[in-house]
Amino acid sequence: MIPLKSEEDLKMLREAGKILNRIIRKLEEAVKSGVSTEEIDNLAERLVAEEDCLPAFKGYRGFPASTCTSTNYVIVHGIPDEQRIKQGDILSLDLGINYKGYFSDSAVTVPVGIIDSKLEKLIKVTKQALSEGIKQAKVGNRLSNISCAIQDYVENNGFSVVRQFVGHGIGRSLHEEPEIPNFGQPDQGAVLKHGMVFAIEPMVNMGTWESEILDNGWTAVTKDRQASAHFEHTVAITNQGPEILTDN
Ligand code: MG
Ligand code: MG
């Protein structure tokens, strides 16, 4: 069953989304050549604490950091370390927070300085794919209309969608039902209702959709080591239309 949120829950989730958006904007500004991913994670941890929130990923199934920092061919779940990002890299930042028992989750891919035009296109297409998915997050649609819109947009632009990782319901837990794949046929799955809240998160590869996990058990990379981008918003389905909680 997909949990439906009360108006009170939605109010709290709106606040959780607003705070996370604020933090992510600051993290984006910190992305510069020469900065280590550990430094960005330390900043995230400080900003989350300043907002009286808890980092949702730290300790989640043993994940060692607050932020997932995924560079270049890392798809998701990159672990922050002393490695310094450099001009021409792309860096995906994924952060989840817990605000008084309410969770929000959001990700962005940020260019480091001037990047290759094909990487620019990858970022632009992934971001727009998220928007295309969100447009379908409306009352009366079926769940897979979101998935299908993302896949169509990405593949029409010559890139591929990751199969191994998917979006998810969110609310009183970081991960709730349902799973939201970024691929699939239209008009399948649950009918969307007011009060459902989803983390929609296309992960888009420049080359093959296939992925693999590195020996640390976390870091997911593209099988062909070509670049990957990731955007995510926490979105409420409401009678007034999709409400992007992490973008206000
Ligand atoms: Mg996330
Ligand atoms: Mg997520």
Side-chain angles (χ1 to χ4, degrees), residues 39 59 81 89 122 168 209 234:
E39 285 165 348
D81 61 14
D89 286 347
L122 179 70
H168 49 95
W209 58 267
T234 298

Side-chain angles (χ1 to χ4, degrees), residues 57 94 105-107 166-168 170 174-175 199-201 230 232 234:
F57 301 164
D94 189 356
D105 189 0
S106 184
V166 296
H168 49 95
I170 184 167
L174 177 62
H175 292 121
I200 303 174
E201 49 178 317
H230 180 205
E232 176 178 26
T234 298

